[in-house]
């Protein structure tokens, strides 16, 4: 059981925790890339995402295991050679965008539910992220795994609450709204920019011992990664199509049901997943910087340097968060997705598979 948790569940849980935070946890990404294609079209998009996640993560984990590439610099140098710097440029842009979206969401959810000033909410997120990055990989992995378990529990309770009172509206939506074109491209876009984070969180899979474990961890990560999307999409049909215009659709959905206790729990868990997203991607960046320092100076960064680096990037991102969560999700992710398709997805599924088979 312990081996399953460490080797298979942990990588899947870290992946889920990192991609769910911020806009995914608010439901905004689900609306933008899944739900707007109609009830059935959204399910088609979810199927595309699950398949793409599973394949890309399974190959990525096995590639990292074969070449002992446990930080994204080592991983990409092995995969792309000198061209790895192209990923670096795109990742820095994605990192700032992710942190901007999480910052925008962190302030708004606490303000909406508890009337905590937006800047205080952002400050709490900032302190939490910096502290967790200060204490390093072991604590980061542990909190991400625990957070994934709590998140799944809250999502199940949320879905049961929605379905129990709105099952008739959900069923009717499938008959009332047709499949909108574009679900295939949208599902691939969603899968590509989210799976592009795999090299950044590859540190969490360093305990993998066999190809079977790597494949199992990748497939489980794909299922866990798409599970919240399926829950959100089906539940959103109770308020479809009005929900498409909401900045934080999940919050609005629970509010409409009058489930006050669940709304409070959801906001707390959502804030925790927002923090986890920032922690997860910044830990990956710190691991990359440690790899560079060990190569050049034989010692990794200190804990203080990890915290300062995380804090500096987070401050830069919070400036960008002023553009608002809807604009950032709609424009930012789509702009980066095809760049990652060229420099990560295609090489992973071609060069990566070829090198694995040679190895």
């Amino acid at each position: 059981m312990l081996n399953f948790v460490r080797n298979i569940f942990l990588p899947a849980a870290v992946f889920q925790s990192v991609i769910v935070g911020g806009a995914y946890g608010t439901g905004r990404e689900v609306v933008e890339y899944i739900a707007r294609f109609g009830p059935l079209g959204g399910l088609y998009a979810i199927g595309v995402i699950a398949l793409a996640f599973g394949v890309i993560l399974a190959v990525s984990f096995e590639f990292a295991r074969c070449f002992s590439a446990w930080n994204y610099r080592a991983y990409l140098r092995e995969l792309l050679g000198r061209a790895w710097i192209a990923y670096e440029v795109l990742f820095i842009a994605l990192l700032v965008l992710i942190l901007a979206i999480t910052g925008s969401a962190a302030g708004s959810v606490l303000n909406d539910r508890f009337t905590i000033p937006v800047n205080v909410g952002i400050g709490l997120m900032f302190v939490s992220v910096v502290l967790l990055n200060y204490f390093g990989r072991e604590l980061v992995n542990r909190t991400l795994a625990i957070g994934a378990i709590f998140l799944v529990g809250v999502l199940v309770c949320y879905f049961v609450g929605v379905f129990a009172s709105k099952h008739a509206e959900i069923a009717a939506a499938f008959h009332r709204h047709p499949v909108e074109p574009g679900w295939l491209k949208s599902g691939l876009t969603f899968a590509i920019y989210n799976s592009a984070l795999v090299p950044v969180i590859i540190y969490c899979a360093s305990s993998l011992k066999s190809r079977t474990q790597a494949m199992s961890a990748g497939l489980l990560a794909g299922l866990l990664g798409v599970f919240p999307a399926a829950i959100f999409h089906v539940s959103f049909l109770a308020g479809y199509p009005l929900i498409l215009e909401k900045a934080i659709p999940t919050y609005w959905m629970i509010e409409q049901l009058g489930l006050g206790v669940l709304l409070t729990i959801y906001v707390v868990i959502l804030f925790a997943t927002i923090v986890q997203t920032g922690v997860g991607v910044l830990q990956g960046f710190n691991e990359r910087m440690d790899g560079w320092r060990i190569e050049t100076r034989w010692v990794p960064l200190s804990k203080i340097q990890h915290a300062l680096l995380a804090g500096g990037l987070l401050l830069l991102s919070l400036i960008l968060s002023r553009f608002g969560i809807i604009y950032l999700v709609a424009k930012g992710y789509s702009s980066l997705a095809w760049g990652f398709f060229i420099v990560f997805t295609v090489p992973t599924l071609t060069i990566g598979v070829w090198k694995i088979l040679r190895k």
Side-chain angles (χ1 to χ4, degrees):
M1 183 63 181
L2 183 60
N3 284 334
F4 171 81
V5 171
R6 181 187 297 120
N7 299 331
I8 297 174
F9 176 73
L10 179 61
V14 170
F15 177 70
Q16 185 201 60
S17 295
V18 168
I19 69 169
V20 166
Y24 196 3
T26 65
R28 187 62 231 171
E29 282 184 43
V30 177
V31 163
E32 191 65 40
Y33 293 99
I34 296 171
R36 67 188 179 93
F37 299 101
L40 196 56
L43 292 181
Y44 292 160
I46 287 169
V48 171
I49 294 164
L51 180 61
F53 273 170
V55 172
I56 295 170
L57 270 76
V59 173
S60 299
F61 288 161
E62 175 61 6
F63 185 85
R65 187 193 69 83
C66 285
F67 298 98
S68 298
W70 301 120
N71 67 70
Y72 83 79
R73 184 166 179 257
Y75 181 101
L76 291 161
R77 286 178 70 176
E78 185 63 47
L79 180 67
L80 302 174
R82 293 183 179 180
W84 73 273
I85 195 67
Y87 179 95
E88 182 96 330
V89 173
L90 287 171
F91 171 68
I92 295 298
L94 180 63
L95 174 63
V96 172
L97 179 62
I98 288 172
L99 294 175
I101 288 171
T102 56
S104 179
S108 61
V109 294
L110 293 183
N111 178 261
D112 287 345
R113 183 57 181 166
F114 303 117
T115 64
I116 295 174
V118 171
N119 289 335
V120 173
I122 293 173
L124 287 173
M125 175 203 168
F126 181 88
V127 171
S128 302
V129 169
V130 170
L131 281 177
L132 284 169
N133 280 114
Y134 171 82
F135 287 109
R137 179 196 292 187
E138 186 175 345
L139 182 60
V140 168
N141 283 348
R142 191 177 303 164
T143 56
L144 290 175
I146 293 171
I149 294 171
F150 277 104
L151 176 66
V152 169
V154 170
L155 287 176
V156 170
C157 293
Y158 159 74
F159 183 75
V160 170
V162 174
F163 194 79
S165 59
K166 299 288 185 179
H167 57 276
E169 289 89 338
I170 292 172
F174 281 95
H175 300 288
R176 193 179 301 127
H177 302 284
V179 174
E180 299 293 337
W183 55 266
L184 177 60
K185 179 182 176 181
S186 186
L188 286 173
T189 301
F190 183 90
I192 288 166
Y193 77 73
N194 274 298
S195 60
L197 288 172
V198 172
V200 186
I201 63 164
I202 206 69
Y203 60 87
C204 70
S206 59
S207 60
L208 292 172
K209 298 295 189 295
S210 69
R211 180 167 296 179
T212 299
Q213 288 184 353
M215 295 291 128
S216 300
L219 294 174
L220 180 61
L223 291 175
L224 282 183
V226 83
F227 173 74
I231 292 289
F232 287 146
H233 172 63
V234 174
S235 68
F236 288 171
L237 299 181
Y240 192 87
L242 183 61
I243 200 166
L244 298 180
E245 305 301 322
K246 303 301 177 182
I248 308 180
T250 313
Y251 184 98
W252 179 83
M253 194 74 248
I254 300 175
E255 199 173 37
Q256 299 306 300
L257 297 173
L259 303 174
V261 174
L262 181 60
L263 186 59
T264 298
I265 295 171
Y266 164 75
V267 168
V268 172
I269 295 295
L270 175 59
F271 183 80
T273 62
I274 289 169
V275 170
Q276 287 179 328
T277 294
V279 170
V281 294
L282 286 170
Q283 177 63 27
F285 188 74
N286 280 333
E287 297 270 345
R288 178 259 183 269
M289 296 304 296
D290 281 345
W292 170 72
R293 279 284 296 240
I294 290 169
E295 279 188 19
T296 57
R297 302 188 185 182
W298 302 98
V299 291
L301 296 174
S302 67
K303 289 184 175 182
I304 291 293
Q305 288 171 320
H306 283 164
L308 290 175
L309 188 61
L313 285 170
L314 197 51
L315 279 176
L316 176 64
S317 303
L318 292 177
I319 297 172
L320 185 60
S321 69
R322 295 178 180 274
F323 286 101
I325 191 170
I326 294 179
Y327 180 85
L328 290 170
V329 171
K331 303 299 182 184
Y333 283 144
S334 296
S335 300
L336 291 171
W338 297 109
F340 281 115
F341 178 72
I342 295 169
V343 304
F344 172 69
T345 308
V346 171
T348 294
L349 298 180
T350 53
I351 299 170
V353 171
W354 177 70
K355 285 193 171 186
I356 288 170
L357 294 176
R358 266 186 66 188
K359 184 76 172 179

